[in-house]
Amino acid sequence: MRTFQDLQIAGDKQAFTFDAITDYKASEAYKNALEGIAYSTGKNTAITSYQNLLYTLTGEAVPDNYSANHKCASNFLQRLTCQLSSYLLSNGVQFEKEESKYKIDDDLDTKLLQAVQSALVQGCSYGFWNNDHVDYFTASEFCPLFDEETGALRAGVRFWQISSEKPLRATLYEEDGYTEYIKIKGEIKALKEKTAYKLIIAHTEADGMRIVDGQNYDRFPIVPLYPNPNKISELQPIKAQIDAFDLIKSGFANDLDDASMIYWTINNAGGMTDIDLKKFIERMKVVKAAAVDDEAKAEAHTIDVPYQSRETYLNRLEKDINKDFMALDVEIISSGNVTATQIKAAYEPMSEKADRLEACIIEHLKALMSFAGVDDYPKFRRSQLSNEMEQTQMIMMCANILDTQTILEHLPFLTVDEVPVILERMQAEEAERIVNQPMIEEEKEEEPDGADE
């Protein structure tokens, strides 16, 4: 991969930009990003590339086009990453000052959730501070250029192409501005010369709107968002187990398909190769009959496919995948009326994993906040199942020592957005009661003597 130092000594930045893209596409980071996308969309590479083989008498391997070849791809990665990101971010990011979030981006919650999901799958996302909001790039479309000495991100290239026959677009982001390029049939040209990140626009009656000046930031305005301290995709630690699960499940489906029909034994047919036998079976499936020599004899048999060992191992693999990912095992909390302690214990592994992810997100948000001029601290309210009655009783027992806002924030049946609305209503009702209180007292004073009698 190219680095920031390579960019500094490059004489032709146009050629360097597209050479960096080529090198990046050959890197492990880019391959892992594409692999993560494939596994999150049910196109698991290990099972989709698997091919049944037959071997001739000479030992030559040929494709088996006669046996069943089901390819059952699991969707573990999508389910597990969605569970983790929703657990941490479904209630959005919260700040002590309400306006802090909107200074970063009006749609920060949605963008951040999508960026975290992408980072979990592809290994990283990149947040670009674009003057008054943030835009996110994925690892499959952004080539980072790191500093060889500090490891910091100092430059990068965002690229996109509809197909191999269409033009390749690229934008080179540097500390002092960005430049847009296009490559059409091997020819490279600049679409837009280097432009500052912050443009100063003037409006005049004579000239209308025009750019009069430009400014840049004091540092590179693209900030990486990693899913874990190891800076790798969440697919990598569990990929081998997912591949084993897919292969065993697909092999089981193939055996069931092949065994659903009668199988045959042919006596006095030692000259038939494996290919000939497969053709015989295929003919029996199609025409339900086959011709044999006078000395040959074909006998039909049926078989029951053993499944207990494979089913047991598939269950074991599924539990190991959930355990290694530190995911929530819903079977623990879906049986009966479990207590709050049991629910908390079931969530503990995922909470520990979410702690690492939360630390990465907070580090990312702090960098964006420095660009937006926000002095605050982000916090998250995790979304989890609970025994609402038991939790509500526990909160109400402490109501005499807690303020109203704290009580409302901890009630399990209220959402984050409902709490400020309820507080506002309560304050309005209290203000109305205070205003009407003197009128009530005046009415009591004007009552005639003997009214009680």
Side-chain angles (χ1 to χ4, degrees):
M1 286 180 58
R2 304 295 176 101
T3 64
F4 173 70
Q5 279 72 17
D6 295 330
L7 174 62
Q8 286 184 310
I9 63 176
D12 185 357
K13 289 190 176 181
Q14 288 188 0
F16 173 87
T17 297
F18 290 93
D19 290 341
I21 294 173
T22 301
D23 290 350
Y24 179 64
K25 288 184 175 181
S27 67
E28 287 296 322
Y30 182 75
K31 293 177 181 178
N32 290 339
L34 294 185
E35 195 171 49
I37 294 174
Y39 274 74
S40 66
T41 55
K43 300 175 182 178
N44 302 5
T45 55
I47 191 63
T48 54
S49 61
Y50 182 78
Q51 174 66 55
N52 291 332
L53 298 175
L54 288 175
Y55 295 90
T56 63
L57 294 176
T58 59
E60 180 184 0
V62 295
D64 182 2
N65 298 320
Y66 307 99
S67 300
N69 190 19
H70 297 286
K71 297 182 178 181
C72 305
S74 60
N75 202 19
F76 281 106
L77 185 64
Q78 180 76 359
R79 177 176 63 84
L80 295 175
T81 54
C82 283
Q83 184 188 78
L84 177 60
S85 58
S86 297
Y87 171 66
L88 181 60
L89 297 171
S90 61
N91 290 319
V93 59
Q94 302 166 43
F95 294 89
E96 295 180 1
K97 304 173 185 176
E98 186 177 354
E99 66 275 7
S100 296
K101 180 191 296 186
Y102 304 104
K103 285 184 178 179
I104 302 174
D105 197 297
D106 291 339
D107 197 21
L108 179 62
D109 290 337
T110 302
K111 289 183 177 180
L112 186 61
L113 179 61
Q114 294 173 349
V116 169
Q117 179 67 24
S118 175
L120 291 170
V121 169
Q122 300 185 34
C124 187
S125 290
Y126 299 90
F128 168 45
W129 178 249
N130 193 358
N131 198 11
D132 58 355
H133 65 280
V134 59
D135 294 321
Y136 281 98
F137 308 146
T138 64
S140 60
E141 64 178 355
F142 185 79
C143 167
L145 298 175
F146 294 102
D147 192 312
E148 297 175 6
E149 299 177 358
T150 64
L153 182 63
R154 300 284 300 275
V157 181
R158 188 194 180 195
F159 58 92
W160 63 97
Q161 187 178 23
I162 298 177
S163 67
S164 57
E165 297 82 14
K166 299 300 180 180
L168 173 61
R169 291 284 304 273
T171 303
L172 173 62
Y173 293 93
E174 301 177 80
E175 293 177 337
D176 59 345
Y178 65 95
T179 312
E180 296 183 5
Y181 300 106
I182 187 171
K183 185 176 183 181
I184 305 176
K185 297 180 180 180
E187 181 182 355
I188 302 174
K189 63 179 182 179
L191 283 179
K192 190 175 184 180
E193 297 299 332
K194 183 176 288 188
T195 307
Y197 290 109
K198 297 186 292 184
L199 300 178
I200 300 175
I201 300 174
H203 298 267
T204 62
E205 295 182 359
D207 300 332
M209 183 179 67
R210 61 189 180 91
I211 299 173
V212 296
D213 196 6
Q215 296 179 356
N216 290 305
Y217 303 102
D218 57 352
R219 60 192 181 282
F220 190 55
I222 297 181
V223 183
L225 169 58
Y226 296 107
N228 48 62
N230 297 325
K231 302 179 181 180
I232 61 172
S233 164
E234 290 294 343
L235 170 66
Q236 303 308 312
I238 59 174
K239 180 181 179 298
Q241 292 168 302
I242 293 178
D243 292 343
F245 185 94
D246 292 345
L247 290 171
I248 294 173
K249 184 178 179 180
S250 300
F252 191 19
N254 293 334
D255 291 344
L256 290 174
D257 192 355
D258 290 336
S260 62
M261 298 188 65
I262 298 172
Y263 79 95
W264 298 82
T265 57
I266 306 175
N267 298 324
N268 298 323
M272 295 180 69
T273 64
D274 289 345
I275 304 298
D276 295 330
L277 292 173
K278 285 292 184 180
K279 289 181 178 179
F280 173 82
I281 297 298
E282 186 67 20
R283 185 170 181 81
M284 293 299 299
K285 290 181 178 180
V286 175
V287 299
K288 308 298 182 184
V292 295
D293 296 335
D294 294 338
E295 297 180 357
K297 182 180 179 182
E299 296 180 356
H301 303 272
T302 59
I303 188 172
D304 293 329
V305 178
Y307 67 91
Q308 291 87 350
S309 60
R310 278 182 281 196
E311 186 175 6
T312 301
Y313 191 55
L314 285 175
N315 292 333
R316 175 64 180 272
L317 275 175
E318 184 173 1
K319 290 183 178 179
D320 287 346
I321 292 172
N322 289 331
K323 183 178 180 180
D324 290 346
F325 192 86
M326 304 174 71
L328 171 67
D329 187 356
V330 294
E331 293 183 359
I332 297 178
I333 59 178
S334 62
S335 56
N337 185 25
V338 294
T339 64
T341 303
Q342 291 173 308
I343 294 174
K344 185 176 180 181
Y347 270 98
E348 187 60 25
M350 190 164 66
S351 295
E352 294 175 357
K353 190 179 187 70
D355 289 340
R356 301 200 313 166
L357 175 59
E358 182 178 327
C360 295
I361 296 175
I362 290 176
E363 181 181 0
H364 171 77
L365 287 176
K366 282 184 175 179
L368 294 179
M369 289 162 56
S370 64
F371 286 106
V374 174
D375 184 15
D376 210 325
Y377 189 83
K379 55 183 179 179
F380 305 89
R381 178 180 176 182
R382 300 178 182 181
S383 176
Q384 66 180 45
L385 300 175
S386 63
N387 187 324
E388 293 187 353
M389 180 177 294
E390 182 178 348
Q391 191 172 353
T392 302
Q393 291 175 347
M394 180 175 61
I395 295 170
M396 299 313 296
M397 289 175 61
C398 305
N400 58 334
I401 59 173
L402 298 176
D403 60 275
T404 304
Q405 182 174 347
T406 302
I407 295 173
L408 292 176
E409 288 177 348
H410 286 79
L411 287 175
F413 50 83
L414 293 179
T415 64
V416 176
D417 297 331
E418 289 177 325
V419 172
V421 176
I422 295 174
L423 284 173
E424 186 176 351
R425 288 178 186 169
M426 294 177 66
Q427 292 173 358
E429 292 175 358
E430 179 66 17
E432 183 179 359
R433 187 186 64 80
I434 294 174
V435 171
N436 295 333
Q437 185 67 28
M439 298 177 60
I440 296 174
E441 293 178 353
E442 289 177 2
E443 290 177 358
K444 289 183 178 179
E445 292 177 357
E446 292 177 358
E447 290 179 358
D449 295 339
D452 294 339
E453 297 178 1

